[in-house]
Amino acid sequence: MMRKGFNIEDKISSRLKNLEEYVFFDLAKATKNAVLSGKDVIDLGGGNPDLPPHPKIIEALKKEAEVLENHRHPVYEGLPELKKAIASWFEKRFGTGVDPDSEILILIGSKEGLSHVSLVFIDKGDGALVPDPAYPIYSRGVILAGGNVLDMPLLRENLWRPDFNKLQKKDLSKAKLLFLNYPNNPTGALADKEFFKEVVDFAKENELVICQDMAYSEITFDGNKSVSMLQIPEAKERTLEFHSFSKTYGMTGWRLGFVVGNGALLNALKNVEVVVNSGVFHVLQKAAMVALSLPDEAIKKVCETYQERRDVLVTGLNGLGWEVENPKGGIFVWAKIPYEYDSKKMAKLLIDKAGVVTTPGVGLGSQGEGYLRFSLIADKESMKETVERIKALSF
Ligand SMILES: Cc1ncc(COP(=O)(O)O)c(C=O)c1O
């Protein structure tokens, strides 16, 4: 047989080739270039909170690092004492019990679990319903597992929720998973119990596993509170809900999250986790217990800080003639572009001419075209300055 020579492109799987470029990787490159060119950059591109962890968390991190036993191989599924602390927090916060042994699994950040969930449930040709726009990992995970992404448009007129009546008319016979994310990135929408009840009914009718991403569970504004899918009777039989320490506690770099939900679904996910990963550094898990025990006041302060930034940015953009809604939760402002620019062009213009980094909406899905996402990850003055710099541009 004739060999055609070693070609790396030929070796790369079609699953990987099928992935579109990762918007945040592109953004990081563009930001780096802008900084290198000497620009005074305001980086509102990623979901990387600037608020540091509470001093008590850092204190615990240092203390636990001194305990030599903590440096040994971690427990695969997570420290029992952290899982117990999560169960107590969950009960107090949502009034719903979860069993620490069988219904909680510790993750290396929620992104990791959200990607592996597709490896657990998706065979070649299976489908997963994915919101559009959305945090990219849901669709990328499905594609990497060899599955098909079934888009669920999130539209403003539908409160940024999927329209289940429309979806019901599609062929969903191959669909296995339903991804959701509330508080929502990028739109800032919240869910309520009525909507989650609809989700559970739709999932039951179509025999779907619900994967609800609650990375922003505690960051809500104007007195609103997020609800858990597990507060809906019957949800637990088919739900995995992904939580994160990254945003609420400013612990993004730690890579620490957890999933709660149905014991059998969770056990299936655990079977992938134990093969691919080897647990999470115990120092991080022990310090995370301190995060969960912080007084409500500490979290309230975080929400107030993001809300103040939101108010400056939204009021400022609306003052320039944009039509921007106040997000109800999360750390983003989802802004419709009021000029004749597509989202990539507009994002590039803002970097090049104003030194402001935003995420082009199309990077989060085709429904995101025509939008920019501003992250609230810089102080109030930077939000003001962002508005001033946009005001100074001519369109
Ligand atoms: C909606 C959403 N889910 C999950 C994540 C990832 O969180 P983690 O740091 O826990 O992996 C992010 C991060 O930006 C996010 O925006």
Side-chain angles (χ1 to χ4, degrees):
M1 190 181 78
M2 271 286 285
R3 295 241 173 214
K4 58 185 173 130
F6 181 73
N7 180 340
I8 291 177
E9 267 306 296
D10 289 346
K11 306 293 175 200
I12 292 172
S13 74
S14 51
R15 293 187 314 279
L16 187 58
K17 284 183 188 154
N18 279 343
L19 288 190
E20 288 163 35
E21 291 215 4
Y22 192 53
V23 64
F24 299 112
F25 189 61
D26 292 349
L27 268 183
K29 274 192 290 187
T31 310
K32 193 170 149 205
N33 289 340
V35 172
L36 285 177
S37 72
K39 280 206 173 72
D40 170 22
V41 170
I42 302 177
D43 184 0
L44 310 181
N48 190 6
D50 60 317
L51 302 179
H54 193 283
K56 282 193 175 158
I57 301 175
I58 296 181
E59 201 180 297
L61 181 70
K62 288 182 188 161
K63 194 175 117 224
E64 294 300 340
E66 297 285 350
V67 181
L68 299 184
E69 189 60 23
N70 283 341
H71 293 261
R72 302 199 66 195
H73 207 298
V75 178
Y76 276 105
E77 63 270 34
L79 272 178
E81 52 266 50
L82 175 59
K83 298 207 290 175
K84 257 195 199 142
I86 289 170
S88 307
W89 173 82
F90 205 85
E91 171 89 53
K92 183 170 154 235
R93 174 65 178 83
F94 299 112
T96 307
V98 277
D99 175 54
D101 285 335
S102 60
E103 295 177 340
I104 301 177
L105 184 66
I106 306 299
L107 300 169
I108 309 175
S110 60
K111 180 180 182 185
E112 178 252 326
L114 284 160
S115 65
H116 286 154
V117 83
S118 285
L119 283 185
V120 178
F121 300 108
I122 298 290
D123 278 321
K124 193 168 172 7
D126 287 339
L129 288 154
V130 176
D132 176 7
Y135 182 56
I137 194 58
Y138 322 131
S139 59
R140 304 306 195 270
V142 173
I143 293 166
L144 282 174
N148 297 320
V149 174
L150 308 167
D151 285 325
M152 296 192 296
L154 303 186
L155 304 179
R156 185 179 183 175
E157 59 264 30
N158 210 22
L159 304 174
W160 309 108
R161 295 168 178 178
D163 183 338
F164 292 126
N165 289 329
K166 270 198 187 145
L167 287 170
Q168 200 57 69
K169 296 189 183 114
K170 294 193 169 186
D171 177 10
L172 301 178
S173 55
K174 294 265 173 66
K176 283 184 165 175
L177 301 180
L178 166 64
F179 284 94
L180 288 172
N181 163 224
Y182 294 96
N184 185 256
N185 169 10
T187 67
L190 295 185
D192 53 25
K193 285 191 193 162
E194 290 69 35
F195 167 60
F196 273 174
K197 169 85 179 60
E198 254 184 70
V199 172
V200 173
D201 290 345
F202 175 80
K204 266 175 91 168
E205 196 165 336
N206 294 286
E207 298 175 11
L208 301 168
V209 173
I210 301 168
C211 301
Q212 148 68 353
D213 176 0
M214 271 197 102
Y216 299 94
S217 97
E218 301 313 293
I219 305 181
T220 47
F221 309 132
D222 311 315
N224 287 301
K225 280 264 181 202
S226 64
V227 291
S228 163
M229 187 66 75
L230 298 182
Q231 289 176 275
I232 308 304
E234 301 185 332
K236 205 193 265 178
E237 68 187 35
R238 57 183 65 250
T239 297
L240 290 174
E241 188 167 80
F242 295 82
H243 290 252
S244 174
F245 285 90
S246 293
K247 319 292 175 174
T248 311
Y249 305 107
M251 290 160 62
T252 332
W254 293 40
R255 315 309 307 128
L256 190 61
F258 60 93
V259 52
V260 297
N262 178 274
L265 295 174
L266 205 119
N267 197 46
L269 178 57
K270 188 166 83 183
N271 287 339
V272 168
E273 292 290 325
V274 298
V275 172
V276 179
N277 297 324
S278 302
V280 177
F281 191 25
H282 282 179
V283 170
L284 307 186
Q285 295 193 59
K286 289 195 175 162
M289 289 168 64
V290 173
L292 291 174
S293 71
L294 288 174
D296 293 348
E297 204 47 42
I299 311 303
K300 203 169 151 222
K301 231 169 114 186
V302 170
C303 294
E304 281 169 4
T305 304
Y306 284 122
Q307 188 172 320
E308 276 176 16
R309 295 171 176 185
R310 174 201 73 169
D311 290 345
V312 173
L313 184 64
V314 171
T315 309
L317 289 175
N318 284 336
L320 300 182
W322 293 48
E323 281 177 35
V324 183
E325 272 177 48
N326 263 334
K328 295 189 171 74
I331 59 169
F332 308 104
V333 168
W334 187 233
K336 196 160 177 44
I337 301 165
Y339 317 112
E340 293 288 305
Y341 286 84
D342 68 28
S343 60
K344 277 192 174 165
K345 236 186 184 162
M346 184 71 192
K348 182 160 176 5
L349 180 104
L350 286 190
I351 296 182
D352 293 345
K353 302 268 190 263
V356 174
V357 182
T358 59
T359 302
V362 73
L364 304 173
S366 60
Q367 296 292 334
E369 188 49 280
Y371 285 83
L372 280 188
R373 193 192 72 174
F374 294 79
S375 300
L376 299 169
I377 54 171
D379 59 15
K380 253 191 322 187
E381 285 63 40
S382 303
M383 297 299 149
K384 221 168 148 187
E385 173 68 14
T386 296
V387 174
E388 288 304 316
R389 290 190 191 183
I390 296 174
K391 191 177 173 184
L393 299 175
S394 48
F395 293 97

